Amino acid sequence: TVRIVDPDEWRHGEAKGVCQSRSVQDLTPLVEVKDRSNRADLASTIIHEYAHAILHFDITDATERAKREVEAEAVAYVVGRYLGLDTSGSAFYLAAWQGDETDVLQERLGRISGTAEEILSTLDAV
């Protein structure tokens, strides 16, 4: 489920978006993004948070947080480029990959590629 939240109702501080469970009874991910006039940036944030819902929803290991952010942002970058969105804001996140081992990078790239394909095929079907 994706909700675009009015800035006056936003309860997540400086974050542009969040992915969380809806309730204890219903563990379906809920993506919330703070509404803004820049629709391309809004779309990129939705894609980023939706990637978290697909890739990381059941992961609770806090030590992996930075790497999960990189994966979600890389998916947003790939999908955003495909859709013709300005993806220049992704550079900060993606720079965090510097120093990762080759086998770790290949594993992450496989997840990123598969998730981007899943989102794009869903969008193409609409």
Side-chain angles (χ1 to χ4, degrees), residues 49-124:
E49 297 302 333
Y50 192 72
H52 277 305
I54 294 169
L55 286 168
H56 310 125
F57 185 66
D58 58 352
I59 297 173
T60 58
D61 181 3
T63 62
E64 284 286 305
R65 178 167 165 51
K67 291 178 181 174
R68 290 193 312 262
E69 287 299 323
V70 170
E71 289 178 350
E73 191 61 23
V75 170
Y77 176 82
V78 170
V79 174
R81 287 293 304 256
Y82 179 83
L83 298 174
L85 301 175
D86 177 10
T87 57
S88 58
S90 296
F92 170 75
Y93 277 113
L94 300 180
W97 273 10
Q98 199 168 14
D100 278 356
E101 297 294 325
T102 303
D103 57 334
V104 172
L105 283 176
Q106 287 180 328
E107 178 186 337
R108 291 188 187 284
L109 287 171
R111 285 197 303 266
I112 290 162
S113 175
T115 304
E117 281 183 39
E118 181 178 340
I119 291 171
L120 289 172
S121 67
T122 301
L123 290 174
D124 286 342

